[in-house]
Amino acid sequence: MHSFPPLPDLTGPNAPDDLLDGHLWVLELIDGTGLRFRMEESGLLRFGGPETTYADDEDVPLALRPAVRHVREAFDREALRSAADDPASVTFLGVATHRRGTDYDWGRLPPFLGTDVHSADANAFRPPDAVAAIFDGVGLTAVNAVDREVRARDFDPTDYPIPRSAWRDGRAAGVVVRNKRGGRGKLASVDRDHRPEETPAGDLDADALAEAHATPDRFDRVVAALDGRGDSVTVADLADRTVESIARETTVTLDDGRSAGPGAFRAAVVERARAYLERPDGRRIDGG
């Protein structure tokens, strides 16, 4: 599985010298965590983060699990087999979208957005104009382009206005600038939303955390997603999806060894999920 390419700051000391040449693509910079994957001959998808690979789904951080599930469910394996002589030689790279410093419209923002495709056979990343079509061809969404085919001589990184985001009511976290020869760099927004100082989950009671975040509205959304796929709704599935939703969309952090680690928090969510599903309409519980 190929690694992520460097993404230097275009206004920093390590800005690439050869990027601003030819025509450029400008893409929205998504504030999340890098997620990459490739398909084995059997069709099994193997995943990795920015620095490591995951042996199985239990190794994937909670906030990234919605992205992994989304890719597993949406990825068209037969389309890749038809398009590539050696599917295992292709690495797909992108971003798992979750709450870091930017609060997105989580209902609209896909759990995963593709940014790059690397071919080991060609030993190269595909150019930006091909990436969107490749991801679309395998059933996934690529990160959105802000500007296409911009003449490099017309682009000034010190004076480029960060555009509004396609995924939130506000400015983007920044932009990624690429040329067709593999050069790339980023411009980060200077006035982006920064999350408040986090309160470690271990400093709060697991039941209090569940009451605050495992709300009827959140259960409603998770149930609607399961119903939309034709899946049955069990207490375990509802609890697991809800915990992952909280990890993705909020600043709650769960750390093993603390009183409100993942196990304790999930147990508290299970009780609320059971009460939710035992309601006559299966949608509402009192309180929370």
Side-chain angles (χ1 to χ4, degrees), residues 2-209:
H2 202 274
S3 300
F4 281 90
L7 190 64
D9 190 329
L10 288 180
T11 60
N14 297 318
D17 296 328
D18 58 350
L19 173 60
L20 301 182
D21 186 32
H23 288 80
L24 308 174
W25 277 56
V26 183
L27 311 169
E28 180 169 350
L29 176 66
I30 303 297
D31 189 17
T33 296
L35 185 71
R36 54 202 167 108
F37 66 93
R38 68 177 182 88
M39 188 180 81
E40 296 186 346
E41 185 176 351
S42 65
L44 179 68
L45 300 181
R46 294 290 188 186
F47 289 85
E51 305 293 340
T52 188
T53 56
Y54 305 122
D56 54 50
D57 288 358
E58 291 301 312
D59 294 331
V60 179
L62 279 172
L64 276 57
R65 290 184 189 178
V68 169
R69 178 180 288 110
H70 173 76
V71 171
R72 287 200 191 283
E73 293 175 350
F75 189 76
D76 189 336
R77 293 158 174 79
E78 290 308 313
L80 178 59
R81 289 191 175 103
S82 297
D85 292 334
D86 180 11
S89 70
V90 181
T91 299
F92 295 87
L93 305 98
V95 57
T97 62
H98 65 100
R99 181 72 182 271
R100 296 183 69 216
T102 307
D103 191 14
Y104 290 103
D105 182 345
W106 302 108
R108 291 195 304 114
L109 179 65
F112 175 86
L113 287 173
T115 58
D116 269 298
V117 178
H118 184 271
S119 169
D121 290 341
N123 192 28
F125 287 96
R126 297 302 304 272
D129 53 342
V131 169
I134 293 171
F135 276 105
D136 183 66
V138 295
L140 298 173
T141 302
V143 68
N144 50 294
V146 175
D147 284 313
R148 299 173 175 86
E149 303 294 349
V150 178
R151 291 183 300 181
R153 66 174 177 267
D154 296 333
F155 184 87
D156 181 358
T158 65
D159 193 39
Y160 186 82
I162 301 298
R164 294 184 64 82
S165 173
W167 306 108
R168 64 184 295 263
D169 183 15
R171 297 220 303 176
V175 294
V176 174
V177 182
R178 297 186 56 182
N179 63 29
K180 294 183 179 181
R181 294 184 300 281
R184 68 191 70 212
K186 67 180 178 181
L187 294 172
S189 176
V190 296
D191 63 349
R192 53 185 284 210
D193 295 340
H194 290 287
R195 64 181 173 183
E197 191 71 24
E198 289 182 354
T199 301
D203 293 347
L204 298 175
D205 179 78
D207 290 330
L209 276 173

Side-chain angles (χ1 to χ4, degrees), residues 259-277:
S259 59
F265 182 62
R266 183 185 182 280
V269 173
V270 164
E271 293 306 310
R272 295 182 67 79
R274 179 176 291 110
Y276 172 94
L277 291 177

